[in-house]
Amino acid sequence: MTLTAAELLAATTARLAPDPPPLSASLERGDPHPNSLVPLIARGEASRETLAALALEQRWVIAADHRSFLHLAERAADSPAATAFFTSLAEGEALAGEHLAAFAEESGVTEERTRSHPPRPGCQAYPAYVAWLALNGSPADVILALTANFSAWGGYCARIAEGLRRHYGFSDEASAFFDFFAQPAPDLDAQATAALQTALDTGRLNTDMAHTYGSLLQSYEAMFWDSLRETP
């Protein structure tokens, strides 16, 4: 039976980015979720220095992803729905960058430290791969892979935002970067579904390739968190 775009998206998300355990579970030792750092922030066990490193690395990620999504929007010019999806992503990255400033400041990041910070290879592998996808991936395949990955990222951000408030005393403004990614995005979901349905109808979606892209995105994201956990 041929799946609709909505069904395919749900199935791919379940396969690549299964739901993380609830925050209450993460407060216990032995969190079963493979993410190595988010449970520590959720429990208030990550150092302030780790939070600062997270802010510094995200500055690089946000800027890189913004440009990658703009390039994908240009490449997807023959699909209005795909163009709208990538344009929305780029606009979201720009807004997230504004929220990131407050998180960085409350984490103790100064302008001087921002200028002198050497980015970590393990943290920047994810945006480097997104840039590779922007140059080489079929836009429809990239939409499927990214949207599945966003499900896990949104869950991480929800747990971080609550942990920042509960254990570190961060303000709403300083937590807004994570709130932004944690909240539902029905318009973006609708754009992704429309773009994928068009690709399915025209035979321009390679689900096997999309799964490969999605698996690599998940691996690079895990590398991001692992690299941050190594912060002294």
Side-chain angles (χ1 to χ4, degrees):
M1 182 180 67
T2 303
L3 297 178
T4 66
E7 292 168 339
L8 177 61
L9 189 52
T12 304
T13 299
R15 175 179 173 182
L16 293 176
D19 292 335
L23 182 60
S24 58
S26 76
L27 299 178
E28 302 174 0
R29 298 287 182 176
D31 191 325
H33 197 263
N35 188 300
S36 65
L37 178 60
V38 170
L40 297 181
I41 299 175
R43 295 193 295 260
E45 296 174 4
S47 67
R48 289 272 179 168
E49 181 61 23
T50 298
L51 298 181
L54 172 57
L56 289 163
E57 294 297 333
Q58 277 295 335
R59 284 182 182 269
W60 284 77
V61 174
I62 292 295
D65 284 356
H66 178 257
R67 292 179 65 86
S68 294
F69 295 148
L70 287 176
H71 187 69
L72 279 160
E74 294 178 3
R75 290 187 57 217
D78 60 343
S79 172
T83 298
F85 174 81
F86 289 120
T87 300
S88 294
L89 287 185
E91 292 172 348
E93 294 296 314
L95 181 57
E98 297 175 6
H99 291 316
L100 182 59
F103 171 65
E105 182 177 356
E106 197 147 339
S107 298
V109 176
T110 63
E111 286 300 321
E112 180 180 355
R113 184 172 180 184
T114 299
R115 289 191 297 269
S116 62
H117 174 72
R120 304 182 185 190
C123 289
Q124 297 310 312
Y126 179 96
Y129 185 60
V130 173
W132 186 94
L133 291 175
L135 292 173
N136 299 285
S138 167
D141 298 348
V142 175
I143 289 173
L144 183 55
L146 282 173
T147 304
N149 177 254
F150 290 158
S151 176
W153 167 245
Y156 297 153
C157 287
R159 299 168 74 188
I160 290 173
E162 185 166 346
L164 290 176
R165 291 183 172 94
R166 178 183 298 185
H167 299 293
Y168 299 92
F170 274 42
S171 65
D172 288 342
E173 183 181 9
S175 304
F177 174 81
F178 301 99
D179 291 334
F180 174 75
F181 286 112
Q183 65 187 358
D187 291 343
L188 189 64
D189 291 341
Q191 290 169 346
T193 302
L196 291 174
Q197 190 62 58
T198 297
L200 282 172
D201 293 342
T202 57
R204 300 172 65 181
L205 182 63
N206 185 330
T207 56
D208 288 339
M209 189 61 70
H211 288 158
T212 297
Y213 293 162
S215 294
L216 284 168
L217 285 170
Q218 290 294 89
S219 296
Y220 289 133
E221 177 153 346
M223 191 182 299
F224 176 89
W225 298 110
D226 288 344
S227 296
L228 283 173
R229 189 174 180 179
E230 296 170 2
T231 303

